[in-house]
Amino acid sequence: MIFSRLALFVLIAVSPCDGFLLISPSRTSSVALLGKSSHPVISYIDSVPTASSFRRAASTKLSAGGFLGQEVDDDDDDDDDETVGGDSSSSSSTSKIYKQTMTPDERKQNLAAMRQIFKYDLNDLQARADYAGWVQARKDLKRRQGKDPWFELNNKLKEAVLQDLGDALIDDLVAKIRAVGGPPPGVTHKRKYATVAEIYDSDMSLGKAEAIVQMEQQRLNSAKWAKLLAEREANEKKQAEEDANTNPYLKAEEEARKRREKTMRILYGKVEEERKKKAAKAKEIQEKYGVDKEAFMGGGSLLDKAIESAKKQLEETKLRQQQKGGLSSTGAADTNTPISGTTPSDAAAAEEEAAKAAASSSSNNGKRIPGDMDMTRGEIDVDIVDSSDLTTNNVRVQVSTSYNAAQSDPPMRKHSFAYTIRITNTSPTDSIQLLSRKFEIQTVGARQKDVVKGEGVTGRQPILKPGEAFEYTSSVPLSVRPLGTTIAAARMAGEYQFNIVDIDEAAGKDADGNPVVKVLSGPLSCQLGTFHFIFPEDQRVKPVRRASDEEDDDDDEDDDDSTSTTSPKAATTSSANKPATSVASTPSLPGDEDMKSGKILSATNDSSEVTTDGVKVKVTSQYREERSDPKMDKHCFAYNIRITNENDYAIQLTGRKFEIQTIGSAHKDVVAGPGVTGRQPVLQPGESFEYTSTAPLSVHPLPTTSVVARMQGEYTFTKVGDSQPRQAKLAVFHFVLPALDIA
């Protein structure tokens, strides 16, 4: 049937009712007719599409740039076709003036029309495969969003809250929302902003609806192409049979082929018969003269055995080279489930096994690409940082690094580093599944980059719901020599592949224990930002200094999160031409009088344990005689801290703050910094995080007490899913000298 293009103009008189909706049956361009308006409303229903126009719309190629191949925007109003607040920065809201031009009744009717389109019209058009109408209805939905400034302000407020852009910007947006009348009547929200489900009273987002329609269209196209290919193959087969029966040339070719096959069978039979005769003769000679039986009866000649042995030796040589200079991308310890109570020897054995497993995996090594010239020269052109934080495609990837002295052998140019990666799903609506990883690493002085690829992350393909994070730690053994022009040992970057999925809760879990999911779109990629592995201070090439300028730097050689009476350990995050920055310190505080006088009033405990807000912090200390020099008033202590989550919810450690006062001093030094040992671990209920650090002290003991310092502090943590910071106390404890060292 051929449809003529019609244009309906409907004139509606003023009605005492609240209003009703007029919906086009073809494109569903919904219009709310307001009954309480002072003027009649004229609604235009778009013309009914012809069969040819429908075919053109249905055959439009799908693309990521626009849904259903929407490549050209025919609307005059460009602003209405853009996602409200999608491309503009939230900070621009401070300069833009918003004014509400709609009455509360008009806003209510506008919201009702938007919900009608979102919840029913789009689904109906999808079911009827009216893709042109679907696009038109979606444009109508965006136009209605543009009429009410609250929608744009709500999107900006949502972005500001999720990205933590500051209380000033959030308060400004909240004030502007109040100025335009708040949300439309009928919208209630639990957070500071309204979600898609709360606005449209629906559980499905626009992105998910687009993905479903796109997958359905792809399925139909695939079925159509499969049918066309099957028909083509059948026609070609039928044509070949007809040609074979009617074409004399093809018939002669077929007969010649059969003759060749017969001849080859005869020749192969003769060759096989000759081989059997030679094998029998060889066996006879072996039995008579005692020649090596395996050389003749083991499946090949002596030459074959020699070639096989050479191949085996070549494979062993390649494996040893990979073990010497390759990367260890496996052997990662998932810090989402921290394991406490392990000894250093256990950890070393685990990392050694991980390195061997990585070296034996041929799929992860062997590919190389040209490297960066600044790394080859050792003259770095960018800031040298040992961490990165990058968000792409609603996935945030954070990484931090540390030097593993226990697994390093500097005289042999072997340096081991550990890096911790945290992957967070920042999408408010979509769940994702991590599929694979790809890393590029280049050591300083090298001309090429090593490429490391693998399936999953630490042997798994984790599923992250909105707001969830996955964290793991891996190691990198490098064969590299420090250069005097830079502190960097290597540069690393990469990406992760993931799918946007829909978790089927009703289907339970698969055979591997993972939730059953349905892939909505993908694969997509999220970037691992560029960062560097930095040599510790004692491994860097230092310039030659005159004897008069040399200083005693023993206190700065500690590679742990150490604390001294002057300043904490310098952070390794720095640029090539700038000095290393220190952990953030606040001005000194007044000290305790008993520590100043040396007459300790409290118990001289060298350990403590306290529980605050469901988090238990236990500390023990020990004197390190091998790193101390009493004659020079240098005393080194090690302290072990164990943090246990006794709540029924997961927490994340985000920062620390310590106060330390040496004996005889009138002030306390305050040391504060983000994370714990450069990380921000997540602890599930009942889990613990344990680490050991050192405190090199330069202090002269007093004869009245064996205490040389007092320390206390707190850890900052948050409940997972809640940004409200909380504190867990580190109770007071002392660094106590052994009796034999009391002066």
Side-chain angles (χ1 to χ4, degrees), residues 683-702:
L683 302 182
Q684 299 295 333
E687 290 183 348
S688 298
F689 179 84
E690 186 172 356
Y691 72 99
T692 300
S693 191
T694 57
L697 304 175
S698 179
V699 58
H700 181 72
L702 298 182

Side-chain angles (χ1 to χ4, degrees), residues 67 342 352 607 669:
F67 186 64
T342 58
E352 183 178 358
S607 63
D669 288 322

Side-chain angles (χ1 to χ4, degrees), residues 120 127 140 203 221 224 231 257 261 301 431 455 618 728:
Y120 305 107
D140 187 20
D203 293 332
N221 291 342
K224 182 178 179 180
E231 292 177 354
R257 183 185 66 79
E261 289 182 355
S301 64
S431 298
E455 295 295 328
K618 181 180 180 180

Side-chain angles (χ1 to χ4, degrees), residues 496-512:
Y496 292 88
Q497 298 286 328
F498 67 95
N499 283 335
I500 297 178
V501 299
D502 184 16
I503 301 176
D504 190 352
E505 301 289 352
K509 298 183 179 180
D510 58 17
D512 297 331

Side-chain angles (χ1 to χ4, degrees), residues 509-575:
K509 298 183 179 180
D510 58 17
D512 297 331
N514 298 321
V516 177
V517 298
K518 178 181 180 182
V519 178
L520 299 181
S521 62
L524 304 175
S525 65
C526 57
Q527 299 299 316
L528 169 65
T530 301
F531 64 97
H532 299 81
F533 297 106
I534 300 177
F535 286 110
E537 189 70 28
D538 57 347
Q539 297 299 329
R540 301 174 188 173
V541 178
K542 298 181 177 63
V544 178
R545 296 182 296 179
R546 293 176 300 174
S548 59
D549 295 334
E550 291 181 354
E551 297 176 356
D552 187 2
D553 296 327
D554 291 341
D555 288 345
D556 297 330
E557 293 177 357
D558 192 313
D559 59 350
D560 290 325
D561 188 20
S562 306
T563 304
S564 67
T565 58
T566 55
S567 64
K569 161 187 168 290
T572 57
T573 303
S574 61
S575 63

Side-chain angles (χ1 to χ4, degrees), residues 270-408:
K270 292 181 178 180
V271 170
E272 181 66 17
E273 183 178 356
E274 186 69 19
R275 187 193 66 78
K276 290 180 179 180
K277 290 180 180 180
K278 290 181 179 180
K281 185 67 174 178
K283 183 179 180 181
E284 180 182 350
I285 294 173
Q286 186 269 332
E287 293 176 349
K288 183 176 181 180
Y289 299 101
V291 181
D292 183 13
K293 180 178 180 181
E294 186 176 348
F296 291 93
M297 304 302 294
S301 64
L302 291 174
L303 179 60
D304 293 335
K305 294 294 182 182
I307 294 175
E308 193 68 26
S309 176
K311 288 181 178 180
K312 185 176 180 181
Q313 292 179 1
L314 180 60
E315 292 177 356
E316 292 176 352
T317 302
K318 288 183 178 180
L319 181 59
R320 286 194 298 269
Q321 291 176 351
Q322 291 174 356
Q323 290 175 340
K324 181 178 180 181
L327 292 177
S328 177
S329 62
T330 59
D334 184 3
T335 56
N336 280 323
T337 55
I339 301 175
S340 61
T342 58
T343 63
S345 60
D346 295 336
E351 291 191 12
E352 183 178 358
E353 291 298 326
K356 292 181 179 179
S360 63
S361 176
S362 60
S363 63
N364 287 350
N365 296 283
K367 293 187 179 180
R368 302 190 118 192
I369 59 176
D372 301 329
M373 288 303 301
D374 61 337
M375 286 293 293
T376 303
R377 296 192 305 266
E379 300 173 355
I380 310 302
D381 297 334
V382 298
D383 289 342
I384 303 177
V385 293
D386 62 351
S387 62
S388 69
D389 189 341
L390 186 61
T391 301
T392 49
N393 288 328
N394 288 329
V395 178
R396 181 182 183 186
V397 181
Q398 302 167 272
V399 61
S400 61
T401 65
S402 62
Y403 185 74
N404 191 343
Q407 296 296 316
S408 301

